[in-house]
Amino acid sequence: MADGRSAGADLTLTGVTKRFGGFAAVDDLDLEVASGQFFALLGPSGCGKTTTLRMVAGLEEPTAGTITIGGDDIGRLKPYKRPVNTVFQNYALFPHLNIFENVAFGLRRRGVKDVKSQVDDMLELVELGGYAKRRPAQLSGGQQQRVALARALINRPQVLLLDEPLGALDLKLRRQMQIELKRIQTEVGITFIHVTHDQEEAMTMADTVAVMNKGVIEQMGAPADLYDNPATTFVSNFLGQSNLVKASILDTHGDALVVDVQGTRIAAPVARARRTDGQVWVGVRPEKVFLGAAGVEEGSYDDNVLPSGTVTDVSFIGVSTQYLVKMPWGQELTVFEQNTGAREQFRVGDKVDLHWVAAHTFLLDADQDAHAGDETYAALSGAPTA
Amino acid sequence: MSRVGRWVSEHVVMVIALLVLCYMFLPIFFVVLMSFNAPTSRLNYEFQAFTWDNWLNPCAPAGMCESVVKSIEIGFLATVFATILGTLVAFALVRHRFRGRAGTSLLIFLPMATPEVVMGSSLLALFTTAGLAGTLGFWSILVAHIMFCLSFVVVTVKARLAGLDSRFEQAAMDLYANEWQTFWRVTFPLVFPGILAAALLAFSLSFDDFIVTNFNHGNTITFPMFVWGANQRGIPPQVNVIGTVMFAIALLLVLSGGVLQRRRER
C-alpha cells in the first residue's frame, strides 16, 4: 500500500441499537467480521441492514452500542474520519465531475500524491480505462457501478461497504458484476460488507451470510450451512424454499430423532434439530425430495417416505420440473425433480409418495410462523413478510 | 382535399406553436426595429426612415446613459445582496429543522403576493415615518430592490436545493471531505445553476423595476424612471437601442449557457 494503510481489518459491532422515535430499526446487534472476509447482510427491505451499514459508515449515529475497526472505536467519529468507504445504492456519483475526478475525489481530500497514476490504475482494474473524461450521465448503469466501486476502493479502506450495489442492474449484468466483484475482492483482499435483499446474490458472493429480520440477526454462517441447516422458519423460507410440515417428536435413537408426521414416522438428525422434544416443523428442501409412484420403493432414498400424495400441479421449467403434491392432511408440498431423463414424469392427478434422505431433514420450533420470510406467500395473502 | 387535410392535421401543432412564438416575439421585433428609426417629430411611434444615428450616438439624449449606469449599479448591488441573503435563507429552510420554519417559508412568499404599487407607496410611508424622507435616492432604491428580490431568490434556490439528493453530500463525507469541503466541492457546484438563475432573475427584476422605484427614488433617475420622464415629451429612439442591447446580452447569456451545457455533455 502506497500510503501505508492495511489491506483490511476486523469489524466488530457490540450491542448496536438504532431507534427512530420508538421504532428499533436495529436492535441490540452483535456482529463480528474477520479481516479480508466477504460478508453479506441479507434481509427483506426494512429489516435494518442498510441502517446497520450506515452506522458503520458514520452516516447514522447508533442510539447505543459500540463499533470498532481493527480494535479502534469508531462509533462516534465523523464519516470522513473513518477508514471505511461506501458504494452507494444508485452510486451517488458526482454529476458535475468527470469519471477521473470522481475516482480521484478521496485521494485529493487526503492530499495524496501521484493521483493520476493511482486513478489510471484503478480505472484499469474496473476496465474503464478510456472513460476518464466522460461524465457519469454518459455511462451505462453497469459502468457507473464500476466507477462507484473504483471511487471507494482507490482509498484502500479497511472495510468497504456496499449498499445494494447491484440492485439497479438487469439480471444478466447483475450476474456478471457478482463475479467481477468477487474477483476484485479476492484481488485487493479488503473486508467487504455487502448489503442485499437478493439471497442468490448473497450466497454466490459471500464467505459469510448474516440473515437479518426486524432489526436482529436470525442466523449467521457460510451460505451452505444456512441453506442446509436453517435455524428459523424465516431463514428456511427467505433463503430458498422449504416444505414445512407440522410434526411431533416421539423418541431419540442415538444421533437421530424419530418424528411423527401426520401419522407417518420419519427420521431426522439431532444435529439439525432446533428442538429435541414436543412440537416441531419438519423441513425439507423441494430439490431434496424424490417423487415415486405410490407404493414403489426408491432404494437409498427410502429413509423418509411420506405416502399417498396427489399431484395437483406440474410446471416444466427446462432444467427441472416443479410439482405441487397435495398430502392427505390437505397441505400442498413442493418437489423439484431434475430433468435428467432417468426419472419418471408424473401428471396432474397421479398418486405419488415423497422420498428423501434422512440427513436432509431439519427440525424447527413449531412456535414459529411457518410462512415467516416467505415472500410469495406474503404477496399472495397480503400478509407482511416478516 | 384529404391530402391537404392530412397535412393540416400533421402540422397543426407546429402552426399553433409558430403563431404563439410570433405573438411573443413581435413586440421584441418592434423594440429592435424602432431603434433604427429616424423620427421626424418627437414621437417615436411610427417607423419613418432607417438610420444608424441612434446606434452611433446612443448617449445623445441628456441623462439617459447616466440613468442606465445608475440602474446597472443598483441592479448589481441588489443582485449580490439578495442572492447571498436569499441563498442562505434557502439553505436554512431546506437543510435545517427549527421552530418557525414552516412560518418562515410562508412569510417569504408575502412580498411576492403583495401588489407592487401598494408595496411601493407603503415603503415610502415607512421611509417618511423613519424620518428619511429627505435622503431618498440611491440607497432607498437599493434597500427596496434587495427586499423584493429576496423572495424570488429564496424560492428559486430552494427549489434547486430540495431536488438535490443528499446522498451526494454523504458520498463526499464518506470520501474524506469535511463539512467545509463537502459544501464547496459538492453542494455548491450542484446548487450553483439555481443560484445563477436566481441572480439573473434578481438583476432583471431590479433593472426594470418602475413601480416601487417611482415612490422611493427621490432625485435619483434610474433607466425606467428616465423612460417614464421622457415619455412626457416623446421617447428618444436611443431608449430602443438600450432595450435591444439588453435583449442581445440576455440572448447571448442563454445561448452560451446552452453551448456550455452541450459541450460538457459531450
Side-chain angles (χ1 to χ4, degrees):
Chain A
M1 301 305 109
D3 51 350
R5 294 185 161 216
S6 65
D10 295 1
L11 169 71
T12 317
L13 277 69
T14 316
V16 169
T17 300
K18 177 67 189 180
R19 287 180 192 285
F20 295 107
F23 170 73
V26 176
D27 197 1
D28 196 19
L29 190 89
D30 292 317
L31 193 64
E32 240 176 274
V33 183
S35 167
Q37 259 203 334
F38 199 128
F39 186 94
L41 266 177
L42 172 69
S45 55
C47 74
K49 56 190 192 301
T50 295
T51 307
T52 305
L53 198 77
R54 289 172 60 84
M55 286 192 284
V56 177
L59 302 171
E60 215 75 76
E61 200 179 331
T63 314
T66 55
I67 302 171
T68 65
I69 288 180
D72 301 329
D73 188 348
I74 58 148
R76 298 285 182 272
L77 291 181
K78 297 270 191 187
Y80 49 84
K81 296 241 167 99
R82 300 185 184 208
V84 302
N85 290 110
T86 309
V87 176
F88 287 82
Q89 197 172 8
N90 300 327
Y91 325 130
L93 299 178
F94 304 127
H96 60 298
L97 300 178
N98 65 22
I99 300 310
F100 184 94
E101 287 304 326
N102 262 280
V103 176
F105 195 90
L107 296 183
R108 294 210 194 279
R109 299 291 83 71
R110 289 190 288 124
V112 171
K113 304 269 182 292
D114 68 327
V115 170
K116 171 101 175 76
S117 68
Q118 284 199 49
V119 173
D120 288 345
D121 287 352
M122 190 48 71
L123 286 177
E124 247 4 277
L125 179 75
V126 295
E127 289 161 6
L128 285 173
Y131 292 82
K133 293 273 169 274
R134 305 270 186 105
R135 299 245 163 198
Q138 294 165 282
L139 267 53
S140 71
Q143 290 168 333
Q144 292 185 27
Q145 205 285 327
R146 297 212 293 269
V147 175
L149 184 66
R151 184 177 72 170
L153 267 184
I154 196 166
N155 303 295
R156 303 275 167 192
Q158 293 180 350
V159 178
L160 183 77
L161 308 172
L162 303 107
D163 185 9
E164 303 262 9
L166 310 179
L169 305 180
D170 61 50
L171 190 68
K172 205 174 160 202
L173 200 54
R174 196 151 71 213
R175 296 282 169 260
Q176 207 178 313
M177 282 306 299
Q178 285 172 7
I179 298 165
E180 188 81 343
L181 263 181
K182 185 73 195 161
R183 171 183 74 82
I184 290 170
Q185 196 264 340
T186 315
E187 218 166 299
V188 297
I190 290 172
T191 315
F192 274 37
I193 313 282
H194 181 129
V195 156
T196 179
H197 68 270
D198 181 342
Q199 41 112 355
E200 212 169 303
E201 186 174 300
M203 289 199 283
T204 321
M205 299 164 75
D207 307 314
T208 308
V209 176
V211 180
M212 265 190 98
N213 184 30
K214 294 181 182 167
V216 298
I217 289 177
E218 293 251 340
Q219 194 179 358
M220 195 160 94
D225 291 344
L226 293 190
Y227 187 80
D228 290 336
N229 193 6
T232 64
T233 55
F234 180 86
V235 175
S236 78
N237 290 319
F238 194 76
L239 221 59
Q241 260 178 278
S242 289
N243 291 304
L244 297 175
V245 185
K246 198 88 166 194
S248 54
I249 293 172
L250 298 174
D251 203 359
T252 313
H253 279 299
D255 55 4
L257 292 163
V258 181
V259 187
D260 174 75
V261 183
Q262 310 286 335
T264 308
R265 286 182 173 215
I266 63 148
V270 173
R272 294 188 170 203
R274 300 293 162 170
R275 268 188 90 140
T276 49
D277 61 342
Q279 296 287 306
V280 289
W281 294 112
V282 163
V284 63
R285 298 288 188 180
E287 76 281 5
K288 300 288 190 332
V289 180
F290 286 82
L291 275 191
V296 179
E297 294 189 359
E298 288 282 335
S300 58
Y301 299 107
D302 281 349
D303 295 356
N304 291 333
V305 182
L306 287 180
S308 311
T310 310
V311 175
T312 55
D313 188 67
V314 181
S315 322
F316 175 79
I317 51 164
V319 291
S320 66
T321 304
Q322 306 195 348
Y323 295 97
L324 279 182
V325 181
K326 187 151 197 158
M327 301 311 289
W329 57 90
Q331 188 179 4
E332 276 188 330
L333 300 182
T334 311
V335 178
F336 300 161
E337 288 268 13
Q338 285 293 309
N339 289 329
T340 55
R343 305 283 308 168
E344 191 183 342
Q345 297 278 317
F346 296 95
R347 282 190 223 130
V348 173
D350 287 351
K351 296 286 176 198
V352 291
D353 295 343
L354 276 57
H355 307 252
W356 73 93
V357 178
H360 291 153
T361 319
F362 53 86
L363 302 181
L364 301 174
D365 192 333
D367 292 342
Q368 293 172 357
D369 175 14
H371 296 292
D374 184 344
E375 289 181 318
T376 324
Y377 178 81
L380 290 176
S381 67
T385 320
Chain B
M1 166 57 212
S2 76
R3 273 177 76 184
V4 176
R6 196 177 314 140
W7 190 90
V8 169
S9 71
E10 275 171 7
H11 294 84
V12 68
V13 173
M14 176 123 83
V15 168
I16 293 175
L18 281 174
L19 285 174
V20 171
L21 286 178
C22 284
Y23 176 53
M24 288 169 71
F25 290 134
L26 217 56
I28 296 172
F29 172 72
F30 257 74
V31 169
V32 179
L33 179 74
M34 296 314 276
S35 75
F36 294 103
N37 190 20
T40 44
S41 73
R42 278 183 168 180
L43 299 174
N44 186 21
Y45 294 136
E46 263 177 87
F47 196 83
Q48 268 128 0
F50 180 88
T51 176
W52 287 105
D53 285 355
N54 310 323
W55 282 84
L56 294 173
N57 305 301
C59 289
M64 190 192 77
C65 280
E66 288 82 344
S67 76
V68 172
V69 170
K70 195 65 73 189
S71 270
I72 290 175
E73 282 172 7
I74 291 172
F76 177 76
L77 287 173
T79 300
V80 169
F81 281 108
T83 304
I84 291 173
L85 284 173
T87 300
L88 292 175
V89 172
F91 267 91
L93 288 177
V94 175
R95 284 303 162 86
H96 296 279
R97 299 282 167 270
F98 54 88
R99 259 186 112 128
R101 180 170 150 270
T104 311
S105 277
L106 197 70
L107 288 174
I108 284 292
F109 273 97
L110 281 187
M112 286 199 280
T114 311
E116 222 184 326
V117 67
V118 180
M119 175 78 81
S121 60
S122 306
L123 207 55
L124 177 61
L126 173 67
F127 283 136
T128 312
T129 311
L132 300 168
T135 63
L136 290 183
F138 185 89
W139 293 104
S140 60
I141 298 172
L142 180 62
V143 166
H145 283 200
I146 293 172
M147 185 268 303
F148 69 70
C149 285
L150 200 54
S151 304
F152 290 92
V153 173
V154 172
V155 169
T156 310
V157 176
K158 226 177 99 179
R160 176 80 190 183
L161 201 52
L164 179 69
D165 193 337
S166 61
R167 264 183 315 206
F168 294 130
E169 285 152 311
Q170 292 174 5
M173 299 267 260
D174 186 66
L175 292 164
Y176 311 104
N178 59 29
E179 287 85 352
W180 184 253
Q181 292 169 323
T182 299
F183 180 80
W184 286 113
R185 300 276 172 185
V186 174
T187 316
F188 185 75
L190 290 177
V191 181
F192 182 71
I195 297 176
L196 187 67
L200 291 175
L201 183 65
F203 185 81
S204 71
L205 283 172
S206 165
F207 186 81
D208 72 9
D209 178 74
F210 172 73
I211 301 175
V212 172
T213 312
N214 189 33
F215 284 99
N216 302 289
H217 69 113
N219 293 322
T220 304
I221 304 296
T222 62
F223 181 61
M225 297 312 305
F226 174 86
V227 176
W228 170 250
N231 193 32
Q232 318 282 328
R233 311 177 297 273
I235 297 177
Q238 278 84 351
V239 164
N240 287 57
V241 173
I242 301 297
T244 305
V245 169
M246 294 306 291
F247 170 73
I249 290 174
L251 199 65
L252 212 67
L253 279 175
V254 171
L255 284 180
S256 58
V259 167
L260 215 68
Q261 181 83 16
R262 204 170 287 181
R263 190 173 299 167
R264 202 179 268 185
E265 272 159 19
R266 198 170 298 142

